[in-house]
Amino acid sequence: SLSLALSTPLCHLKELVDKYTGKVRLLDAKTVLKLDQEFLETVIPKVGGEVLIVNGPHRGHKAVLLGLDIDNFSARVAIAKGPNKGLELSAIAYEDICKIHVPQE
């Protein structure tokens, strides 16, 4: 699932309702909220962390974050699995990737 945040990582995306709205589950509870994208922002992991590409031709692929270009609000990633494994993509906008949340048991 995708990690999203209000101001700190508090929830993860459970499902998309439509193009601009999603249902999120709070990380510390079983509460599910329906929120407009206006109230959410993508969480970017530290370099070396796993991300999901959520926009563009590689949408749906998992990748590893290789670096950030803070001045241009973009990232460099490498596809983690599949036939394109190892393919490096640069100048990926922050909003086109997000940290993958792995629920802790």
Side-chain angles (χ1 to χ4, degrees):
S1 57
L2 309 179
S3 287
L4 300 172
L6 299 170
S7 59
T8 59
L10 299 174
C11 54
H12 71 274
L13 183 64
K14 182 173 171 40
E15 75 180 80
L16 291 174
V17 175
D18 58 35
K19 188 173 178 181
Y20 302 104
T21 309
K23 288 185 180 178
V24 297
R25 179 179 302 279
L26 299 182
L27 295 181
D28 63 349
K30 295 185 186 229
T31 304
V32 175
L33 304 172
K34 183 176 167 184
L35 298 173
D36 185 84
Q37 70 178 358
E38 175 182 341
F39 301 106
L40 303 170
E41 64 183 43
T42 303
V43 174
I44 304 294
K46 64 183 179 179
V47 172
E50 192 174 33
V51 297
L52 181 67
I53 300 172
V54 296
N55 289 316
H58 299 285
R59 180 181 182 170
H61 287 83
K62 290 183 180 179
V64 176
L65 181 63
L66 300 176
L68 297 171
D69 182 345
I70 308 250
D71 294 332
N72 293 304
F73 304 100
S74 65
R76 188 169 52 91
V77 301
I79 303 290
K81 296 180 182 175
N84 292 322
K85 181 178 180 178
L87 176 67
E88 289 190 22
L89 307 170
S90 59
I92 304 293
Y94 287 165
E95 60 267 15
D96 292 343
I97 60 170
C98 66
K99 179 180 178 180
I100 297 176
H101 171 71
V102 179
Q104 297 191 5
E105 301 292 322

